[in-house]
Amino acid sequence: GSAAGWLIPQRGRVMRQGRPIFTNSAVEGYLMILAIALAGFGLGAAVKGHVVIPMGFSPGSLFQPELLVIVIGCFFAHGTEKQQLHELEK
């Protein structure tokens, strides 16, 4: 979450062959944080009864999917620039 909060505002600097890859639009930032949150949810999910990341010493997943999404969002809000956060909230 904190890494996303730092990286998403910096996305306009990413170039390929001298051309920017991202447009720095608010929708683009929203989709990026949504993708990161969904990846976090997937880490805690179970697929056909098998967890993606097992706890090891007990049955079940190491992460609670819904809680992991909340934690990622909180750390993103803490780590991002306030202007970027307000653009994503619009």
Side-chain angles (χ1 to χ4, degrees):
S2 291
W6 182 80
L7 288 172
I8 288 175
Q10 308 297 325
R11 69 186 182 276
R13 297 181 182 178
V14 178
M15 301 281 187
R16 182 171 180 196
Q17 297 177 350
R19 297 177 57 186
I21 294 176
F22 301 106
T23 63
N24 257 355
S25 68
V27 172
E28 200 173 65
Y30 180 78
L31 290 174
M32 292 175 101
I33 190 61
L34 180 65
I36 293 166
L38 286 174
F41 186 85
L43 288 176
V47 179
K48 296 182 182 176
H50 299 293
V51 294
V52 177
I53 300 178
M55 197 175 306
F57 58 86
S58 177
S61 178
L62 183 61
F63 303 113
Q64 182 71 18
E66 296 85 359
L67 182 60
L68 194 54
V69 170
I70 293 169
V71 169
I72 288 171
C74 290
F75 275 88
F76 170 76
H78 178 74
T80 193
E81 300 170 1
K82 298 303 174 199
Q83 177 189 3
Q84 179 75 28
L85 185 61
H86 289 298
E87 286 179 12
L88 294 176
E89 290 177 345
K90 289 183 184 176

